[in-house]
Amino acid sequence: MARLPRGHRRAPSPGRLRRTLLAAFVTAAVAVPVAGAALPVDVPAPAPAPPVPLVSATSAELAARYTAGREAVRAAEHSAEEYGAHERAASLRAMAAAGRQFLSFDGRDGGRSAEVVGDLARADRIAVLVPGADTDLDRYGRFRAGAVALHDELRSEPGARAAVVAWLGYRTPATGSTASLTPGRADQAASALRAFVDELRGAKPGARITLLCHSYGSVVCARAASDLPVDALVLYGSPGTGSDSVADLRTRAAVWAGRGTADWIGDVPHVRIPLLPGSELGFGEDPLDPAFDARTFDAGDGGHSDYLVPGSVPLENIARITDGREPRHA
């Protein structure tokens, strides 16, 4: 069979489109028991005060931002308790503990936050975690645990000065929902991610910044990638990015991709099917496909939630990429 030129594909038949569409929904539905259904996002919270701009990331400047963040968390906790959302209130109580460092926090609409693990004032290596589906304030602990594990891995290198930012900057979709199979939430999130990275780069102009994009978060990163001032993008557990190649991302950053051998996301069909005008189902090319042209790294034999497990192969390799080194098992 003749090979089509790169970038061109044969149009699938209507029957194949229908089968692919059904497979995508079935695959996502099977994953729901693994990831859990999304909880309601209508728990009320007060609007936070506008944050003081981050200009130079000095210790004093950061301390002011962290104090404001903690106050916003506590206000949201009080509101959740009054509303009767005791699980949310318990999660927020933990987030308000001494030593926690929030650059920003907004408890409305499921929650938005940016939490720093490590000493951002001294850091010359900064990782920004961008989460995928089913991440909100009620299930925030597992997201932060990954940030802590990565920081511990980075800190294990002699002389390391690293910080990790757990960026929950958008309303993540529920696994198995239509929103998790379409780019709408990512389109909404991209501008917030760009604004955050621009502020971070302005405050830390000499630092190496790496975006770590898990699952649906890789779609968010791809939407924000064009000319974004970061040094590397790492796509892991990705269903696709909505782009056909690294070149389509229009980024000067190094782009890496990895997937665990037991990750169910590998069974999601890599297609893009037009729906209504301006919308589509699926995220296209597999970032691990050679045609996508990403650098690949060994992500071990774990599942969809195992990339930042302490002592794991993917955690080691993601940390090495964040540090500007080659992964051990590329």
Side-chain angles (χ1 to χ4, degrees), residues 99-140:
R100 300 288 288 269
Q101 304 177 141
F102 286 91
L103 284 172
S104 62
F105 181 86
D106 186 340
R108 298 170 297 175
D109 191 36
R112 309 284 189 274
S113 64
E115 182 177 9
V116 176
V117 179
D119 186 350
L120 184 59
R122 297 181 64 248
D124 57 14
R125 299 288 188 272
I126 303 170
V128 179
L129 298 184
V130 181
D134 303 314
T135 306
D136 58 21
L137 297 182
D138 295 331
R139 292 162 289 190
Y140 184 79

Side-chain angles (χ1 to χ4, degrees), residues 13 20 22 29 40 54 60 84 90 118 129 136 189 201 206 212 220 223 225 233 236 241 245 254 263 288 296 313 317:
S13 67
T20 301
L22 178 61
L54 196 64
L129 298 184
D136 58 21
R201 173 57 75 197
L212 304 180
V220 176
R223 288 302 203 259
L233 282 80
Y236 54 105
T241 65
S245 68
D263 189 343
L288 291 176
T296 60
V313 168
N317 281 337

Side-chain angles (χ1 to χ4, degrees), residues 6 25 77 79 93 118 167 202 219 259 265 273 296 302 315 317:
R6 183 173 173 176
F25 276 108
E77 177 200 345
S79 182
R93 198 171 303 118
W167 183 83
V219 188
R259 183 169 59 235
I265 205 78
I273 302 173
T296 60
L315 177 64
N317 281 337

Side-chain angles (χ1 to χ4, degrees), residues 176-258:
S177 67
T178 302
S180 71
L181 301 172
T182 55
R185 296 281 176 88
D187 290 336
Q188 296 167 11
S191 60
L193 180 57
R194 289 186 65 88
F196 177 77
V197 171
D198 285 342
E199 181 183 42
L200 187 61
R201 173 57 75 197
K204 302 287 295 185
R208 174 181 170 84
I209 299 176
T210 302
L211 282 188
L212 304 180
C213 316
H214 178 233
S215 193
Y216 189 87
S218 62
V219 188
V220 176
C221 289
R223 288 302 203 259
S226 179
D227 295 322
L228 199 65
V230 297
D231 298 276
L233 282 80
V234 183
L235 314 173
Y236 54 105
S238 174
T241 65
S243 299
D244 289 330
S245 68
V246 167
D248 290 341
L249 299 179
R250 295 181 308 213
T251 178
R252 289 171 290 179
V255 179
W256 292 85

